[in-house]
Amino acid sequence: MDQSRGGGRSGRWQAWATDHHGEPGKLSKTQAAQVAKAFADKYFRDSVTGSDQVTRPIGGDADAAYLVTFRRYRQGVLMPMRLDFTVTRAGRIIGFTSKTVKDPALPQAAVPRRAALEQAARTAGGKATNAPLMAKQVGGQWRPLWLVGANNTDVWLDAVTGA
């Protein structure tokens, strides 16, 4: 596998097989999830603990594979850790990316989703369509922010102050 590790305070890891194409096989979505979970439990236990796992198919028939993601939420806020695996239908992990970040302490969000959608729509001059609540560093401090898609752009809105 080709591998690299990014710098910074949080651990960022990624690796891809030199032959990183999907391959024929009979692995089901559930089995692909189990392959990724076993690897993650062994090498990324801190990221897996308390996270939600989602598996979805990717690619076409000949090179089909599964993308298995792990994400963690605290009080409805998506935490900054990321863990993703690409698993072929033959059961081979052909790549992964990881961002290991401890869950930050966040102030309580006060701006409801509906208000965030309305404010972002006014700011962007169009209809707001999506609004996940995410932990993001702003000026060196972790904050809960709404990431609102509006009028083909993204609007970040502080979920504590509304700014």
Side-chain angles (χ1 to χ4, degrees):
M1 283 196 146
D2 295 330
Q3 53 185 326
S4 65
R5 178 173 193 238
R9 290 177 45 193
S10 64
R12 292 178 189 253
W13 293 87
Q14 63 181 3
W16 294 97
T18 51
D19 174 13
H20 57 273
H21 298 286
E23 55 198 0
K26 296 183 179 189
L27 202 71
S28 71
K29 183 177 167 181
T30 300
Q31 291 169 321
Q34 292 168 343
V35 167
K37 178 85 164 66
F39 188 90
D41 281 343
K42 185 172 183 178
Y43 296 105
F44 298 97
R45 180 165 297 284
D46 289 345
S47 291
V48 173
T49 302
S51 66
D52 297 329
Q53 181 179 356
V54 174
T55 304
R56 68 178 176 87
I58 56 173
D61 290 335
D63 62 349
Y66 294 99
L67 178 63
V68 183
T69 62
F70 294 85
R71 300 293 186 266
R72 191 166 36 245
Y73 292 84
R74 296 287 183 249
Q75 298 178 347
V77 180
L78 177 62
M79 293 289 109
M81 67 71 65
R82 302 283 183 270
L83 184 57
D84 304 311
F85 293 94
T86 304
V87 181
T88 69
R89 299 225 182 226
R92 186 168 58 100
I93 294 176
I94 57 173
F96 76 89
T97 59
S98 171
K99 179 180 177 186
T100 6
V101 179
K102 290 193 183 285
D103 295 348
L106 298 171
Q108 184 67 39
V111 176
R113 183 178 188 275
R114 181 178 182 95
L117 287 166
E118 291 169 0
Q119 184 171 339
R122 284 191 306 272
T123 300
K127 183 178 178 178
T129 57
N130 192 18
L133 187 56
M134 306 173 71
K136 184 169 172 64
Q137 273 191 317
V138 178
Q141 303 249 339
W142 284 101
R143 308 284 298 171
L145 299 179
W146 291 106
L147 172 58
V148 186
N151 202 26
N152 293 322
T153 192
D154 291 331
V155 176
W156 289 97
L157 182 74
D158 189 302
V160 176
T161 66

